[in-house]
């Protein structure tokens, strides 16, 4: 019984959520249409010649709202009496309806308010919001048919649903946290597409602004010729602002290479302006290049797509951590195709027909701009991505540290010396040369300090009473530690000095071979040298020197 009771409640809650989403879409359409209607009616009221009436102003507002969605309009009040198409979309007007649909879809899927309403699936929310919006759009298309600017039914059936569903889809994507595809290659390609597109359009805007600044006098003359009263000045100024994004896309297409058409018989590229252009008097069109061959200033615009392709390839290359070269190339090529598709859509919206005859083609050609973008990305972006990948995967070479050679200084240590060694009474002292103090005395002094054979520096060790070879304790004249005694020498007559052949052994005072004090546990060093605490005998008197007499 509980299951049967809860099932209708859940279905009823879902139906209410769908109805709410549909109402949100309709409200978004009404807000956009109402905003344009307010602007047009305000201009109609302030105009000194309101000959069309309020109905004409409302029909004009409906036509502009449809034109903002990419729908072509048909002008019926021409001088020749023949209908003329109007397909150039003021791209700044597109921002208002797209943002309204985006927000409606985002709020439909946003459940952060903690309400008890059921959450719709992503597809259901997008379909409900777009359905409510398209109901209002269909009524607007029918209403515009009775005015001076009726909508073209073919473009209304193609572009209007595409724009609305795309805006609603981006709103749902935002509500879900802007997730990217699970594959790293696809996510990196999408990021590269966004970076390349922003760089391309931004660079085109800068190029167009520089050209307009160089032709400021011609633009001011065209503006003055169009305006009359203050209401006309405001209207023309608003139209100029609405066409500024178109100008940026035109600049991007100009830098890509194909350029844009100025009628059916003229084409403007960085190489020059060819043909006879049919340009109506408008302030923004004063920034067009002059007829003839292009100069270095026109060729400098090529840096815009070059920078876009380099940044796009760099983005892919930095994302290619452990990818293969094939995956990196395919990702960069996919980013080039994605950026080309986006540029083709923008070029198609920025241009279009302004009438019949020579004005049937005006602005960038969408397929040429898209193909040029793909070509730039493939020829520049792919090698750059491979180069950045190779640079990031390079093997770091180990840096060799140079060791400075320090000179060993002789160590001055006060050690006991047997009397008679200084005067040459030691056997073998006059036969063999004295060893070098820096090479032979330092190891013996250090190991003597460690083993206890030699007292600490500066200490005086008196000889033990009765020890063989005991005499006066004094520092060595050279200031270094003498070498150990020669093996087999008589301790009573003075030990002989012989360098140690191994460099790390000490002589046996009892005539034995060389022994290591670290290995022989029974070795007693104080049998040969006196301890530091034993009393020292008084030094013998020094005999007077013989006189010369």
């Amino acid at each position: 019984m509980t299951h049967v009771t809860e099932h209708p409640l859940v279905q009823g809650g879902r139906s209410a959520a769908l109805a709410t989403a549909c109402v949100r879409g309709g409200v978004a359409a009404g807000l956009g249409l109402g905003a344009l209607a307010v602007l047009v009616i305000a201009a109609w009221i302030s105009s000194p010649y309101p000959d069309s009436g309020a109905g004409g102003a409302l029909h004009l507002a409906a036509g502009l709202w449809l034109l903002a969605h990419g729908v072509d309009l048909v002008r019926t009040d021409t001088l020749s009496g023949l209908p003329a198409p109007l397909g150039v979309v003021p791209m700044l007007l597109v921002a208002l309806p797209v943002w309204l649909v985006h927000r409606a879809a985002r709020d439909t899927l946003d459940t952060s308010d903690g309400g008890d309403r059921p959450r719709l699936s992503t597809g259901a929310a997008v379909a409900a919001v777009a359905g409510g919006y398209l109901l209002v759009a269909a009524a607007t298309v029918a209403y515009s048919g009775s005015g001076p600017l009726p909508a073209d039914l073919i473009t209304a059936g193609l572009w209007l649903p595409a724009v609305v569903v795309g805006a609603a889809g981006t709103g749902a994507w935002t509500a879900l946290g802007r997730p990217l595809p699970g594959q790293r290659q696809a996510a990196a390609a999408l990021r590269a597409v966004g970076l390349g597109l922003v760089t391309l359009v931004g660079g085109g805007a800068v190029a167009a602004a520089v050209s307009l600044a160089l032709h400021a006098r011609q633009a001011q003359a065209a503006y003055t010729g169009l305006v009359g009263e203050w209401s006309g000045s405001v209207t023309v100024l608003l139209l100029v602002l609405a066409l500024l994004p178109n100008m940026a896309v035109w600049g991007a297409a100009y830098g890509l290479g194909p350029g844009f058409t100025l009628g059916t018989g003229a084409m403007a590229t960085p190489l020059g302006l060819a043909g006879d252009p049919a340009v109506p008097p408008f302030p923004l069109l004063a920034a067009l290049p002059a007829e003839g061959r292009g100069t270095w200033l026109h060729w400098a615009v090529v840096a815009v797509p070059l920078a876009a392709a380099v940044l796009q390839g760099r983005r892919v290359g930095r994302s290619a951590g452990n990818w293969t070269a094939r995956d990196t190339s395919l990702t960069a090529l996919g980013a080039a195709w994605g950026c080309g598709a986006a540029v083709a859509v923008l070029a198609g919206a920025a241009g279009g027909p302004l009438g019949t005859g020579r004005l049937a083609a005006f602005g960038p050609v969408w397929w040429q701009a898209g193909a040029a973008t793909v070509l730039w990305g493939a020829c520049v972006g792919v090698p750059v991505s491979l180069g950045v990948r190779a640079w990031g995967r390079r093997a770091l070479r180990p840096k060799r540290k140079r060791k400075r050679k320090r000179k060993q200084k002789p160590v001055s240590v006060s050690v006991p010396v047997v009397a008679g060694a200084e005067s040459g009474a030691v056997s073998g002292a006059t036969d063999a040369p004295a060893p070098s103090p820096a090479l032979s005395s330092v190891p013996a002094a250090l190991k003597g300090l460690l083993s206890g054979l030699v007292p600490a520096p500066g200490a005086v060790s008196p000889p033990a009473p009765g020890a063989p070879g005991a005499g006066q304790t004094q520092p060595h004249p050279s200031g270094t530690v003498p070498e150990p005694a020669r093996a087999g020498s008589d301790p009573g007559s003075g030990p002989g000095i012989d360098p140690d052949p191994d460099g790390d052994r000490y002589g046996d005072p009892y005539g034995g071979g060389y022994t290591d004090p670290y290995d022989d546990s029974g070795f007693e060093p104080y049998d040969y040298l006196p301890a530091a605490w034993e009393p020292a005998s008084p030094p013998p008197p020094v005999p007077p020197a013989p006189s010369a007499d």
Side-chain angles (χ1 to χ4, degrees):
M1 185 63 180
T2 304
H3 178 72
V4 176
T5 304
E6 290 181 355
H7 184 72
L9 292 177
V10 173
Q11 293 295 330
R14 180 178 176 83
S15 300
L18 288 173
T20 303
C22 188
V23 171
R24 286 180 184 272
V27 169
L31 289 176
L33 184 58
L36 286 178
V38 168
L39 289 178
V40 172
I41 290 177
W44 171 73
I45 293 174
S46 60
S47 176
Y49 310 103
D51 52 351
S52 59
L58 292 177
H59 280 89
L60 179 61
L64 288 177
W65 186 77
L66 293 174
L67 185 64
H69 294 80
V71 179
D72 291 350
L73 303 180
V74 180
R75 294 190 295 114
T76 56
D77 54 347
T78 58
L79 297 177
S80 61
L82 298 177
L86 177 61
V88 178
V89 180
M91 299 183 68
L92 190 60
L93 294 179
V94 182
L96 179 61
V98 165
W99 179 73
L100 290 172
V101 181
H102 173 90
R103 191 187 67 171
R106 183 198 62 192
D107 295 344
T108 301
L109 289 175
D110 189 10
T111 57
S112 58
D113 53 356
D116 296 335
R117 56 190 176 93
R119 180 173 181 176
L120 298 175
S121 62
T122 305
V126 171
V129 172
Y133 195 97
L134 290 176
L135 288 177
V136 179
T140 307
V141 169
Y143 176 75
S144 67
S146 59
L149 292 174
D152 183 28
L153 297 181
I154 297 178
T155 56
L158 292 176
W159 290 109
L160 189 57
V163 171
V164 173
V165 173
T170 57
W173 178 62
T174 303
L176 296 177
R178 299 183 181 90
L180 293 175
Q183 296 182 353
R184 295 185 57 189
Q185 288 84 357
L190 288 178
R191 294 189 183 98
V193 166
L195 181 60
L197 188 62
V198 169
T199 306
L200 194 60
V201 177
V206 172
V210 170
S211 180
L212 187 61
L214 294 177
H215 300 83
R217 187 171 301 177
Q218 294 85 340
Q220 184 178 3
Y223 180 79
T224 306
L226 287 177
V227 301
E229 300 292 334
W230 68 271
S231 58
S233 301
V234 173
T235 303
V236 175
L237 183 59
L238 290 177
L239 186 57
V240 168
L241 293 177
L243 289 172
L244 285 180
N246 299 59
M247 187 179 179
V249 177
W250 282 38
Y254 185 79
L256 284 170
F260 45 82
T261 59
L262 300 175
T264 56
M267 177 69 71
T269 62
L271 299 178
L273 178 60
D276 185 15
V279 180
F282 194 74
L284 292 181
L285 296 179
L288 296 176
E291 297 183 11
R293 299 184 60 181
T295 61
W296 65 270
L297 189 60
H298 301 89
W299 301 336
V301 188
V302 182
V304 173
L306 179 62
V310 168
L311 291 178
Q312 187 171 322
R314 179 175 176 270
R315 181 71 178 186
V316 174
R318 293 184 63 182
S319 301
N322 54 355
W323 301 349
T324 61
R326 178 177 178 274
D327 293 340
T328 306
S329 303
L330 291 178
T331 304
L333 193 60
W337 277 98
C339 190
V343 169
V345 172
L346 292 177
L354 285 178
T356 57
R358 297 179 61 188
L359 293 178
F362 204 78
V365 182
W366 65 272
W367 65 269
Q368 293 181 0
T373 305
V374 174
L375 189 61
W376 276 98
C379 296
V380 179
V382 174
V384 168
S385 64
L386 292 176
V388 172
R389 169 187 172 273
W391 179 261
R393 292 165 59 92
R394 71 187 187 282
L396 297 177
R397 297 179 179 179
K399 298 182 179 179
R400 298 180 179 178
K401 297 183 179 179
R402 297 181 178 178
K403 296 182 178 180
R404 298 180 179 178
K405 296 182 178 180
R406 299 181 179 179
K407 296 182 179 180
Q408 294 182 354
K409 298 181 179 180
V411 181
S412 299
V413 182
S414 298
V415 296
V417 180
V418 180
E422 181 179 357
S423 60
V426 182
S427 63
T430 58
D431 298 337
S436 175
L439 297 179
S440 60
S441 300
V442 172
L446 294 178
K447 292 198 173 183
L449 290 174
L450 293 176
S451 61
L453 294 175
V454 181
V460 178
S461 301
Q472 182 181 3
T473 303
Q474 59 182 358
H476 197 272
S478 62
T480 58
V481 181
E483 293 292 332
R486 182 190 303 269
S489 61
D490 187 6
S493 61
I497 301 176
D498 190 9
D500 191 356
D502 295 336
D504 58 351
R505 296 183 180 273
Y506 298 87
D508 188 358
Y510 301 103
Y514 290 93
T515 57
D516 191 351
Y518 297 98
D519 298 333
D520 189 4
S521 59
F523 180 72
E524 296 181 359
Y526 294 107
D527 291 344
Y528 178 72
L529 294 178
W533 57 82
E534 296 180 356
S537 59
V542 179
S547 60
D549 299 335

